[in-house]
Amino acid sequence: QVQLVESGGGLVQAGGSLRLSCAASGNTFSINRVAWYRQAPGKERELVVSISSGDKPIYADSVKGRFTISGDNAENTVSLQMNSLKPEDTAVYYCKASSLVGETESTYWGQGTQVTVSS
């Protein structure tokens, strides 16, 4: 089992920055892929960025050049630095981790953190 807890959301003006963090605990050694998703009111959850072990991150076109994912293996945290925020970035942001134990792949989600960008 893996537990994920996001933090760092809040209210920011357009053009501002926020840094989200996702702290993992439990069987973190089994995690082979981490992603950030977001869900705006009335919309489907969408992928923001995904990264697998040893690979480069894959960003949604809407956030390329503005958002950056980074990880701290020692602290078992993954961060999402969000710059030049726009009102359309307003959403609940979720951290997702995928783990592989033997041939069994599992998916875990955090509870989400609200990001609100005012115009």
Side-chain angles (χ1 to χ4, degrees), residues 18-96:
L18 280 176
R19 186 177 182 87
L20 306 183
S21 291
C22 174
S25 60
N27 294 332
T28 58
F29 67 89
S30 64
I31 296 174
N32 61 354
R33 186 165 63 249
V34 178
W36 284 95
Y37 282 74
R38 66 186 181 185
Q39 187 166 19
K43 295 187 177 181
E44 294 187 354
R45 191 171 297 189
E46 64 175 2
L47 177 66
V48 175
V49 58
S50 175
I51 186 168
S52 299
S53 300
D55 290 337
K56 293 182 178 180
I58 300 173
Y59 294 92
D61 288 342
S62 58
V63 306
K64 281 181 181 177
R66 300 188 299 122
F67 290 13
T68 304
I69 190 172
S70 61
D72 184 333
N73 290 332
E75 297 292 331
N76 290 323
T77 60
V78 174
S79 297
L80 183 65
Q81 178 66 41
M82 307 186 295
N83 299 327
S84 303
L85 283 162
K86 305 175 182 180
E88 50 264 43
D89 293 320
T90 295
V92 178
Y93 283 70
Y94 298 90
C95 179
K96 174 187 170 183

Side-chain angles (χ1 to χ4, degrees), residues 1-2 11 41 51 53 81 85 87 101 106 108 110 117 119:
Q1 291 288 324
V2 173
L11 173 64
I51 186 168
S53 300
Q81 178 66 41
L85 283 162
V101 178
S106 302
Y108 304 93
V117 184
S119 57

